[in-house]
Amino acid sequence: RPELGAQRAVVEAADVEYRRRLNGLQPDLAVRAIYSVSGLDSQYDGAWSSLGSWDYNDWTAGVVYKRPFGRRADQSLAQRAQSVLSMETARLRQLEHEVTYQLAGALDDLQAAERLLALHRRRREAAAVQLEARRELYFEGRASLRDQVDAEDRYTDAMIEEAAARVDYQRAITRWNFARGAIGDASLLVSE
């Protein structure tokens, strides 16, 4: 789901900031080395010729160690970054919990809608069998018109209820796909 991915990115950014702040609390140790060649002469031509002779070399090497005292501002920034990381991690866990709850609810709805659709389908099929039997009895003269009309009403009601159950089932599929983050996948829709 996109909101989970976005929150994970926020947590990762907060983690990077926290690590950067912790790194800022560490002492600074640097090794430096400089080597240079210069040409010393009062004339421009002479300077170029003495530059190539390597007579005037200069080099420097050293180690620099810096550790400021106190660093209350850096420590407070590190603590603040840690609290932001903790807060964003808690938001991620809460969002994961909400998504899990939505998934469970959507799955329960989908299973219930599927069972209800199967029930209404069987009811319609039974009403169709009954309608056909009543129709034969009516044409043979062994059933009244009222029985035939009642059978047609039951069949019509069963068809309407099956269509409504199919709509509810499609809605449950849509909720399920949304809950699992696959709402854009058109191949997941059921057509009957």
Side-chain angles (χ1 to χ4, degrees), residues 67-101:
R67 180 170 181 99
F69 293 107
R71 306 194 78 167
R72 289 185 301 182
D74 291 336
Q75 288 176 354
S76 68
L77 288 174
Q79 289 172 353
R80 183 176 179 192
Q82 183 182 20
S83 66
V84 167
L85 176 61
S86 298
M87 183 177 65
E88 295 301 336
T89 303
R91 281 187 188 155
L92 177 62
R93 298 295 168 249
Q94 179 184 6
L95 191 59
E96 287 172 345
H97 177 73
E98 289 172 2
V99 167
T100 303
Y101 180 75

PDB file of all heavy atoms in Angstrom, residues 67-101:
ATOM      1  N   ARG A  67      37.875  17.919  19.228  1.00  0.00           N
ATOM      2  CA  ARG A  67      36.738  17.463  20.044  1.00  0.00           C
ATOM      3  C   ARG A  67      36.304  18.653  20.890  1.00  0.00           C
ATOM      4  O   ARG A  67      36.903  18.948  21.916  1.00  0.00           O
ATOM      5  CB  ARG A  67      37.120  16.301  20.926  1.00  0.00           C
ATOM      6  CG  ARG A  67      35.940  15.826  21.763  1.00  0.00           C
ATOM      7  CD  ARG A  67      36.241  14.528  22.473  1.00  0.00           C
ATOM      8  NE  ARG A  67      35.095  14.103  23.233  1.00  0.00           N
ATOM      9  CZ  ARG A  67      34.229  13.202  22.828  1.00  0.00           C
ATOM     10  NH1 ARG A  67      34.399  12.633  21.670  1.00  0.00           N
ATOM     11  NH2 ARG A  67      33.221  12.861  23.581  1.00  0.00           N
ATOM     12  N   PRO A  68      35.235  19.305  20.460  1.00  0.00           N
ATOM     13  CA  PRO A  68      34.761  20.446  21.238  1.00  0.00           C
ATOM     14  C   PRO A  68      34.192  19.993  22.584  1.00  0.00           C
ATOM     15  O   PRO A  68      33.681  18.889  22.728  1.00  0.00           O
ATOM     16  CB  PRO A  68      33.664  21.044  20.368  1.00  0.00           C
ATOM     17  CG  PRO A  68      33.893  20.497  19.005  1.00  0.00           C
ATOM     18  CD  PRO A  68      34.537  19.171  19.201  1.00  0.00           C
ATOM     19  N   PHE A  69      34.288  20.874  23.557  1.00  0.00           N
ATOM     20  CA  PHE A  69      33.757  20.593  24.894  1.00  0.00           C
ATOM     21  C   PHE A  69      32.278  20.968  24.957  1.00  0.00           C
ATOM     22  O   PHE A  69      31.825  21.876  24.284  1.00  0.00           O
ATOM     23  CB  PHE A  69      34.533  21.379  25.956  1.00  0.00           C
ATOM     24  CG  PHE A  69      35.948  20.925  26.094  1.00  0.00           C
ATOM     25  CD1 PHE A  69      36.988  21.704  25.627  1.00  0.00           C
ATOM     26  CD2 PHE A  69      36.243  19.705  26.682  1.00  0.00           C
ATOM     27  CE1 PHE A  69      38.288  21.286  25.746  1.00  0.00           C
ATOM     28  CE2 PHE A  69      37.534  19.272  26.796  1.00  0.00           C
ATOM     29  CZ  PHE A  69      38.582  20.071  26.333  1.00  0.00           C
ATOM     30  N   GLY A  70      31.545  20.247  25.777  1.00  0.00           N
ATOM     31  CA  GLY A  70      30.131  20.575  26.003  1.00  0.00           C
ATOM     32  C   GLY A  70      29.235  19.977  24.940  1.00  0.00           C
ATOM     33  O   GLY A  70      28.649  18.933  25.141  1.00  0.00           O
ATOM     34  N   ARG A  71      29.126  20.662  23.836  1.00  0.00           N
ATOM     35  CA  ARG A  71      28.312  20.236  22.693  1.00  0.00           C
ATOM     36  C   ARG A  71      26.851  20.020  23.075  1.00  0.00           C
ATOM     37  O   ARG A  71      26.212  19.077  22.627  1.00  0.00           O
ATOM     38  CB  ARG A  71      28.885  18.973  22.073  1.00  0.00           C
ATOM     39  CG  ARG A  71      30.354  19.128  21.719  1.00  0.00           C
ATOM     40  CD  ARG A  71      30.816  18.067  20.849  1.00  0.00           C
ATOM     41  NE  ARG A  71      30.352  18.358  19.495  1.00  0.00           N
ATOM     42  CZ  ARG A  71      30.795  17.742  18.443  1.00  0.00           C
ATOM     43  NH1 ARG A  71      31.705  16.832  18.572  1.00  0.00           N
ATOM     44  NH2 ARG A  71      30.344  18.022  17.261  1.00  0.00           N
ATOM     45  N   ARG A  72      26.337  20.873  23.913  1.00  0.00           N
ATOM     46  CA  ARG A  72      24.944  20.722  24.320  1.00  0.00           C
ATOM     47  C   ARG A  72      23.989  20.860  23.138  1.00  0.00           C
ATOM     48  O   ARG A  72      23.006  20.146  23.058  1.00  0.00           O
ATOM     49  CB  ARG A  72      24.599  21.747  25.403  1.00  0.00           C
ATOM     50  CG  ARG A  72      25.268  21.431  26.720  1.00  0.00           C
ATOM     51  CD  ARG A  72      24.831  22.375  27.771  1.00  0.00           C
ATOM     52  NE  ARG A  72      25.167  23.744  27.373  1.00  0.00           N
ATOM     53  CZ  ARG A  72      24.945  24.819  28.090  1.00  0.00           C
ATOM     54  NH1 ARG A  72      24.389  24.701  29.271  1.00  0.00           N
ATOM     55  NH2 ARG A  72      25.284  26.008  27.672  1.00  0.00           N
ATOM     56  N   ALA A  73      24.276  21.776  22.235  1.00  0.00           N
ATOM     57  CA  ALA A  73      23.390  21.957  21.072  1.00  0.00           C
ATOM     58  C   ALA A  73      23.376  20.709  20.201  1.00  0.00           C
ATOM     59  O   ALA A  73      22.310  20.248  19.769  1.00  0.00           O
ATOM     60  CB  ALA A  73      23.835  23.166  20.259  1.00  0.00           C
ATOM     61  N   ASP A  74      24.558  20.131  19.944  1.00  0.00           N
ATOM     62  CA  ASP A  74      24.625  18.912  19.134  1.00  0.00           C
ATOM     63  C   ASP A  74      23.931  17.743  19.831  1.00  0.00           C
ATOM     64  O   ASP A  74      23.246  16.939  19.188  1.00  0.00           O
ATOM     65  CB  ASP A  74      26.078  18.548  18.833  1.00  0.00           C
ATOM     66  CG  ASP A  74      26.742  19.533  17.881  1.00  0.00           C
ATOM     67  OD1 ASP A  74      26.001  20.196  17.122  1.00  0.00           O
ATOM     68  OD2 ASP A  74      27.980  19.626  17.898  1.00  0.00           O
ATOM     69  N   GLN A  75      24.102  17.640  21.145  1.00  0.00           N
ATOM     70  CA  GLN A  75      23.449  16.552  21.876  1.00  0.00           C
ATOM     71  C   GLN A  75      21.925  16.715  21.870  1.00  0.00           C
ATOM     72  O   GLN A  75      21.192  15.744  21.725  1.00  0.00           O
ATOM     73  CB  GLN A  75      23.977  16.491  23.302  1.00  0.00           C
ATOM     74  CG  GLN A  75      25.384  15.959  23.382  1.00  0.00           C
ATOM     75  CD  GLN A  75      25.944  16.001  24.792  1.00  0.00           C
ATOM     76  OE1 GLN A  75      25.326  16.528  25.705  1.00  0.00           O
ATOM     77  NE2 GLN A  75      27.131  15.435  24.951  1.00  0.00           N
ATOM     78  N   SER A  76      21.462  17.940  22.004  1.00  0.00           N
ATOM     79  CA  SER A  76      20.009  18.148  21.982  1.00  0.00           C
ATOM     80  C   SER A  76      19.445  17.868  20.590  1.00  0.00           C
ATOM     81  O   SER A  76      18.348  17.311  20.464  1.00  0.00           O
ATOM     82  CB  SER A  76      19.659  19.565  22.434  1.00  0.00           C
ATOM     83  OG  SER A  76      20.104  20.514  21.493  1.00  0.00           O
ATOM     84  N   LEU A  77      20.192  18.213  19.543  1.00  0.00           N
ATOM     85  CA  LEU A  77      19.741  17.901  18.191  1.00  0.00           C
ATOM     86  C   LEU A  77      19.707  16.388  17.961  1.00  0.00           C
ATOM     87  O   LEU A  77      18.803  15.872  17.293  1.00  0.00           O
ATOM     88  CB  LEU A  77      20.635  18.578  17.152  1.00  0.00           C
ATOM     89  CG  LEU A  77      20.481  20.095  17.036  1.00  0.00           C
ATOM     90  CD1 LEU A  77      21.525  20.665  16.090  1.00  0.00           C
ATOM     91  CD2 LEU A  77      19.081  20.457  16.568  1.00  0.00           C
ATOM     92  N   ALA A  78      20.673  15.658  18.508  1.00  0.00           N
ATOM     93  CA  ALA A  78      20.680  14.201  18.389  1.00  0.00           C
ATOM     94  C   ALA A  78      19.498  13.599  19.147  1.00  0.00           C
ATOM     95  O   ALA A  78      18.839  12.671  18.657  1.00  0.00           O
ATOM     96  CB  ALA A  78      21.997  13.629  18.899  1.00  0.00           C
ATOM     97  N   GLN A  79      19.202  14.127  20.344  1.00  0.00           N
ATOM     98  CA  GLN A  79      18.059  13.625  21.098  1.00  0.00           C
ATOM     99  C   GLN A  79      16.749  13.939  20.382  1.00  0.00           C
ATOM    100  O   GLN A  79      15.830  13.120  20.357  1.00  0.00           O
ATOM    101  CB  GLN A  79      18.051  14.227  22.501  1.00  0.00           C
ATOM    102  CG  GLN A  79      19.141  13.686  23.393  1.00  0.00           C
ATOM    103  CD  GLN A  79      19.233  14.430  24.719  1.00  0.00           C
ATOM    104  OE1 GLN A  79      18.564  15.438  24.926  1.00  0.00           O
ATOM    105  NE2 GLN A  79      20.073  13.932  25.610  1.00  0.00           N
ATOM    106  N   ARG A  80      16.687  15.094  19.770  1.00  0.00           N
ATOM    107  CA  ARG A  80      15.489  15.467  19.016  1.00  0.00           C
ATOM    108  C   ARG A  80      15.318  14.548  17.807  1.00  0.00           C
ATOM    109  O   ARG A  80      14.209  14.096  17.516  1.00  0.00           O
ATOM    110  CB  ARG A  80      15.594  16.919  18.573  1.00  0.00           C
ATOM    111  CG  ARG A  80      14.393  17.422  17.862  1.00  0.00           C
ATOM    112  CD  ARG A  80      14.536  18.883  17.547  1.00  0.00           C
ATOM    113  NE  ARG A  80      13.385  19.377  16.847  1.00  0.00           N
ATOM    114  CZ  ARG A  80      13.334  20.527  16.264  1.00  0.00           C
ATOM    115  NH1 ARG A  80      14.369  21.339  16.306  1.00  0.00           N
ATOM    116  NH2 ARG A  80      12.251  20.907  15.634  1.00  0.00           N
ATOM    117  N   ALA A  81      16.401  14.265  17.104  1.00  0.00           N
ATOM    118  CA  ALA A  81      16.330  13.358  15.957  1.00  0.00           C
ATOM    119  C   ALA A  81      15.918  11.955  16.403  1.00  0.00           C
ATOM    120  O   ALA A  81      15.163  11.268  15.705  1.00  0.00           O
ATOM    121  CB  ALA A  81      17.673  13.323  15.238  1.00  0.00           C
ATOM    122  N   GLN A  82      16.387  11.535  17.578  1.00  0.00           N
ATOM    123  CA  GLN A  82      16.006  10.226  18.102  1.00  0.00           C
ATOM    124  C   GLN A  82      14.517  10.185  18.431  1.00  0.00           C
ATOM    125  O   GLN A  82      13.835   9.205  18.150  1.00  0.00           O
ATOM    126  CB  GLN A  82      16.829   9.893  19.339  1.00  0.00           C
ATOM    127  CG  GLN A  82      16.531   8.517  19.902  1.00  0.00           C
ATOM    128  CD  GLN A  82      17.334   8.230  21.155  1.00  0.00           C
ATOM    129  OE1 GLN A  82      17.831   9.140  21.805  1.00  0.00           O
ATOM    130  NE2 GLN A  82      17.459   6.956  21.481  1.00  0.00           N
ATOM    131  N   SER A  83      13.999  11.257  19.007  1.00  0.00           N
ATOM    132  CA  SER A  83      12.571  11.287  19.330  1.00  0.00           C
ATOM    133  C   SER A  83      11.722  11.323  18.056  1.00  0.00           C
ATOM    134  O   SER A  83      10.664  10.681  17.997  1.00  0.00           O
ATOM    135  CB  SER A  83      12.241  12.469  20.233  1.00  0.00           C
ATOM    136  OG  SER A  83      12.449  13.691  19.567  1.00  0.00           O
ATOM    137  N   VAL A  84      12.181  12.037  17.028  1.00  0.00           N
ATOM    138  CA  VAL A  84      11.458  12.050  15.753  1.00  0.00           C
ATOM    139  C   VAL A  84      11.457  10.650  15.141  1.00  0.00           C
ATOM    140  O   VAL A  84      10.429  10.177  14.640  1.00  0.00           O
ATOM    141  CB  VAL A  84      12.073  13.083  14.776  1.00  0.00           C
ATOM    142  CG1 VAL A  84      11.553  12.897  13.366  1.00  0.00           C
ATOM    143  CG2 VAL A  84      11.798  14.498  15.246  1.00  0.00           C
ATOM    144  N   LEU A  85      12.598   9.965  15.205  1.00  0.00           N
ATOM    145  CA  LEU A  85      12.680   8.593  14.694  1.00  0.00           C
ATOM    146  C   LEU A  85      11.723   7.677  15.455  1.00  0.00           C
ATOM    147  O   LEU A  85      11.008   6.875  14.845  1.00  0.00           O
ATOM    148  CB  LEU A  85      14.118   8.074  14.786  1.00  0.00           C
ATOM    149  CG  LEU A  85      14.339   6.620  14.389  1.00  0.00           C
ATOM    150  CD1 LEU A  85      13.957   6.399  12.933  1.00  0.00           C
ATOM    151  CD2 LEU A  85      15.781   6.223  14.647  1.00  0.00           C
ATOM    152  N   SER A  86      11.690   7.802  16.767  1.00  0.00           N
ATOM    153  CA  SER A  86      10.782   6.970  17.569  1.00  0.00           C
ATOM    154  C   SER A  86       9.322   7.261  17.231  1.00  0.00           C
ATOM    155  O   SER A  86       8.509   6.341  17.108  1.00  0.00           O
ATOM    156  CB  SER A  86      11.019   7.208  19.054  1.00  0.00           C
ATOM    157  OG  SER A  86      12.319   6.845  19.411  1.00  0.00           O
ATOM    158  N   MET A  87       8.983   8.527  17.063  1.00  0.00           N
ATOM    159  CA  MET A  87       7.619   8.911  16.749  1.00  0.00           C
ATOM    160  C   MET A  87       7.205   8.383  15.369  1.00  0.00           C
ATOM    161  O   MET A  87       6.120   7.824  15.214  1.00  0.00           O
ATOM    162  CB  MET A  87       7.473  10.431  16.784  1.00  0.00           C
ATOM    163  CG  MET A  87       6.074  10.928  16.536  1.00  0.00           C
ATOM    164  SD  MET A  87       5.918  12.709  16.666  1.00  0.00           S
ATOM    165  CE  MET A  87       6.918  13.254  15.303  1.00  0.00           C
ATOM    166  N   GLU A  88       8.069   8.525  14.378  1.00  0.00           N
ATOM    167  CA  GLU A  88       7.740   8.058  13.031  1.00  0.00           C
ATOM    168  C   GLU A  88       7.675   6.531  12.976  1.00  0.00           C
ATOM    169  O   GLU A  88       6.854   5.971  12.263  1.00  0.00           O
ATOM    170  CB  GLU A  88       8.749   8.596  12.014  1.00  0.00           C
ATOM    171  CG  GLU A  88       8.739  10.099  11.852  1.00  0.00           C
ATOM    172  CD  GLU A  88       7.402  10.665  11.402  1.00  0.00           C
ATOM    173  OE1 GLU A  88       6.595   9.935  10.780  1.00  0.00           O
ATOM    174  OE2 GLU A  88       7.135  11.847  11.673  1.00  0.00           O
ATOM    175  N   THR A  89       8.507   5.856  13.755  1.00  0.00           N
ATOM    176  CA  THR A  89       8.446   4.396  13.820  1.00  0.00           C
ATOM    177  C   THR A  89       7.132   3.953  14.457  1.00  0.00           C
ATOM    178  O   THR A  89       6.498   2.995  14.007  1.00  0.00           O
ATOM    179  CB  THR A  89       9.642   3.840  14.605  1.00  0.00           C
ATOM    180  OG1 THR A  89      10.852   4.286  13.980  1.00  0.00           O
ATOM    181  CG2 THR A  89       9.644   2.341  14.645  1.00  0.00           C
ATOM    182  N   ALA A  90       6.701   4.666  15.487  1.00  0.00           N
ATOM    183  CA  ALA A  90       5.420   4.358  16.124  1.00  0.00           C
ATOM    184  C   ALA A  90       4.262   4.595  15.151  1.00  0.00           C
ATOM    185  O   ALA A  90       3.308   3.806  15.107  1.00  0.00           O
ATOM    186  CB  ALA A  90       5.236   5.199  17.382  1.00  0.00           C
ATOM    187  N   ARG A  91       4.345   5.654  14.350  1.00  0.00           N
ATOM    188  CA  ARG A  91       3.310   5.904  13.339  1.00  0.00           C
ATOM    189  C   ARG A  91       3.268   4.774  12.315  1.00  0.00           C
ATOM    190  O   ARG A  91       2.200   4.359  11.873  1.00  0.00           O
ATOM    191  CB  ARG A  91       3.569   7.226  12.625  1.00  0.00           C
ATOM    192  CG  ARG A  91       3.143   8.423  13.388  1.00  0.00           C
ATOM    193  CD  ARG A  91       3.275   9.678  12.570  1.00  0.00           C
ATOM    194  NE  ARG A  91       3.037  10.833  13.403  1.00  0.00           N
ATOM    195  CZ  ARG A  91       3.512  12.025  13.158  1.00  0.00           C
ATOM    196  NH1 ARG A  91       4.266  12.239  12.100  1.00  0.00           N
ATOM    197  NH2 ARG A  91       3.249  13.031  13.967  1.00  0.00           N
ATOM    198  N   LEU A  92       4.436   4.296  11.916  1.00  0.00           N
ATOM    199  CA  LEU A  92       4.487   3.183  10.970  1.00  0.00           C
ATOM    200  C   LEU A  92       3.833   1.943  11.562  1.00  0.00           C
ATOM    201  O   LEU A  92       3.045   1.264  10.899  1.00  0.00           O
ATOM    202  CB  LEU A  92       5.938   2.886  10.570  1.00  0.00           C
ATOM    203  CG  LEU A  92       6.136   1.686   9.642  1.00  0.00           C
ATOM    204  CD1 LEU A  92       5.430   1.901   8.310  1.00  0.00           C
ATOM    205  CD2 LEU A  92       7.618   1.429   9.434  1.00  0.00           C
ATOM    206  N   ARG A  93       4.135   1.633  12.819  1.00  0.00           N
ATOM    207  CA  ARG A  93       3.536   0.465  13.467  1.00  0.00           C
ATOM    208  C   ARG A  93       2.015   0.623  13.574  1.00  0.00           C
ATOM    209  O   ARG A  93       1.266  -0.336  13.356  1.00  0.00           O
ATOM    210  CB  ARG A  93       4.125   0.244  14.866  1.00  0.00           C
ATOM    211  CG  ARG A  93       5.592  -0.040  14.882  1.00  0.00           C
ATOM    212  CD  ARG A  93       5.944  -1.348  14.200  1.00  0.00           C
ATOM    213  NE  ARG A  93       7.367  -1.443  13.996  1.00  0.00           N
ATOM    214  CZ  ARG A  93       7.979  -1.402  12.816  1.00  0.00           C
ATOM    215  NH1 ARG A  93       7.275  -1.277  11.721  1.00  0.00           N
ATOM    216  NH2 ARG A  93       9.278  -1.497  12.716  1.00  0.00           N
ATOM    217  N   GLN A  94       1.565   1.829  13.887  1.00  0.00           N
ATOM    218  CA  GLN A  94       0.132   2.076  13.977  1.00  0.00           C
ATOM    219  C   GLN A  94      -0.524   1.911  12.606  1.00  0.00           C
ATOM    220  O   GLN A  94      -1.592   1.296  12.486  1.00  0.00           O
ATOM    221  CB  GLN A  94      -0.133   3.479  14.512  1.00  0.00           C
ATOM    222  CG  GLN A  94      -1.615   3.823  14.613  1.00  0.00           C
ATOM    223  CD  GLN A  94      -1.841   5.247  15.063  1.00  0.00           C
ATOM    224  OE1 GLN A  94      -0.908   6.034  15.197  1.00  0.00           O
ATOM    225  NE2 GLN A  94      -3.090   5.592  15.290  1.00  0.00           N
ATOM    226  N   LEU A  95       0.101   2.436  11.575  1.00  0.00           N
ATOM    227  CA  LEU A  95      -0.428   2.310  10.224  1.00  0.00           C
ATOM    228  C   LEU A  95      -0.455   0.849   9.781  1.00  0.00           C
ATOM    229  O   LEU A  95      -1.433   0.393   9.170  1.00  0.00           O
ATOM    230  CB  LEU A  95       0.418   3.149   9.263  1.00  0.00           C
ATOM    231  CG  LEU A  95      -0.126   3.351   7.860  1.00  0.00           C
ATOM    232  CD1 LEU A  95      -1.490   4.026   7.904  1.00  0.00           C
ATOM    233  CD2 LEU A  95       0.838   4.192   7.053  1.00  0.00           C
ATOM    234  N   GLU A  96       0.578   0.099  10.118  1.00  0.00           N
ATOM    235  CA  GLU A  96       0.594  -1.332   9.792  1.00  0.00           C
ATOM    236  C   GLU A  96      -0.534  -2.060  10.509  1.00  0.00           C
ATOM    237  O   GLU A  96      -1.181  -2.940   9.936  1.00  0.00           O
ATOM    238  CB  GLU A  96       1.942  -1.945  10.166  1.00  0.00           C
ATOM    239  CG  GLU A  96       3.067  -1.554   9.237  1.00  0.00           C
ATOM    240  CD  GLU A  96       4.428  -2.018   9.719  1.00  0.00           C
ATOM    241  OE1 GLU A  96       4.562  -2.389  10.904  1.00  0.00           O
ATOM    242  OE2 GLU A  96       5.365  -2.014   8.907  1.00  0.00           O
ATOM    243  N   HIS A  97      -0.775  -1.682  11.769  1.00  0.00           N
ATOM    244  CA  HIS A  97      -1.876  -2.285  12.527  1.00  0.00           C
ATOM    245  C   HIS A  97      -3.221  -1.963  11.877  1.00  0.00           C
ATOM    246  O   HIS A  97      -4.083  -2.844  11.739  1.00  0.00           O
ATOM    247  CB  HIS A  97      -1.838  -1.795  13.980  1.00  0.00           C
ATOM    248  CG  HIS A  97      -2.970  -2.298  14.806  1.00  0.00           C
ATOM    249  ND1 HIS A  97      -3.064  -3.603  15.229  1.00  0.00           N
ATOM    250  CD2 HIS A  97      -4.075  -1.665  15.257  1.00  0.00           C
ATOM    251  CE1 HIS A  97      -4.176  -3.747  15.922  1.00  0.00           C
ATOM    252  NE2 HIS A  97      -4.812  -2.584  15.953  1.00  0.00           N
ATOM    253  N   GLU A  98      -3.419  -0.712  11.471  1.00  0.00           N
ATOM    254  CA  GLU A  98      -4.671  -0.316  10.834  1.00  0.00           C
ATOM    255  C   GLU A  98      -4.879  -1.061   9.518  1.00  0.00           C
ATOM    256  O   GLU A  98      -5.992  -1.513   9.219  1.00  0.00           O
ATOM    257  CB  GLU A  98      -4.694   1.192  10.593  1.00  0.00           C
ATOM    258  CG  GLU A  98      -4.827   2.012  11.850  1.00  0.00           C
ATOM    259  CD  GLU A  98      -4.648   3.502  11.600  1.00  0.00           C
ATOM    260  OE1 GLU A  98      -4.456   3.903  10.427  1.00  0.00           O
ATOM    261  OE2 GLU A  98      -4.685   4.262  12.578  1.00  0.00           O
ATOM    262  N   VAL A  99      -3.805  -1.196   8.737  1.00  0.00           N
ATOM    263  CA  VAL A  99      -3.911  -1.910   7.459  1.00  0.00           C
ATOM    264  C   VAL A  99      -4.233  -3.382   7.703  1.00  0.00           C
ATOM    265  O   VAL A  99      -5.055  -3.979   6.999  1.00  0.00           O
ATOM    266  CB  VAL A  99      -2.619  -1.731   6.637  1.00  0.00           C
ATOM    267  CG1 VAL A  99      -2.565  -2.689   5.463  1.00  0.00           C
ATOM    268  CG2 VAL A  99      -2.508  -0.297   6.143  1.00  0.00           C
ATOM    269  N   THR A 100      -3.604  -3.971   8.706  1.00  0.00           N
ATOM    270  CA  THR A 100      -3.892  -5.371   9.036  1.00  0.00           C
ATOM    271  C   THR A 100      -5.354  -5.536   9.446  1.00  0.00           C
ATOM    272  O   THR A 100      -6.027  -6.489   9.035  1.00  0.00           O
ATOM    273  CB  THR A 100      -2.967  -5.849  10.166  1.00  0.00           C
ATOM    274  OG1 THR A 100      -1.613  -5.675   9.752  1.00  0.00           O
ATOM    275  CG2 THR A 100      -3.199  -7.304  10.504  1.00  0.00           C
ATOM    276  N   TYR A 101      -5.859  -4.601  10.228  1.00  0.00           N
ATOM    277  CA  TYR A 101      -7.258  -4.640  10.644  1.00  0.00           C
ATOM    278  C   TYR A 101      -8.180  -4.492   9.437  1.00  0.00           C
ATOM    279  O   TYR A 101      -9.189  -5.202   9.316  1.00  0.00           O
ATOM    280  CB  TYR A 101      -7.522  -3.532  11.669  1.00  0.00           C
ATOM    281  CG  TYR A 101      -8.930  -3.486  12.165  1.00  0.00           C
ATOM    282  CD1 TYR A 101      -9.395  -4.422  13.081  1.00  0.00           C
ATOM    283  CD2 TYR A 101      -9.806  -2.510  11.725  1.00  0.00           C
ATOM    284  CE1 TYR A 101     -10.696  -4.394  13.544  1.00  0.00           C
ATOM    285  CE2 TYR A 101     -11.113  -2.472  12.170  1.00  0.00           C
ATOM    286  CZ  TYR A 101     -11.555  -3.406  13.076  1.00  0.00           C
ATOM    287  OH  TYR A 101     -12.843  -3.375  13.517  1.00  0.00           O
TER     288      TYR A 101
END
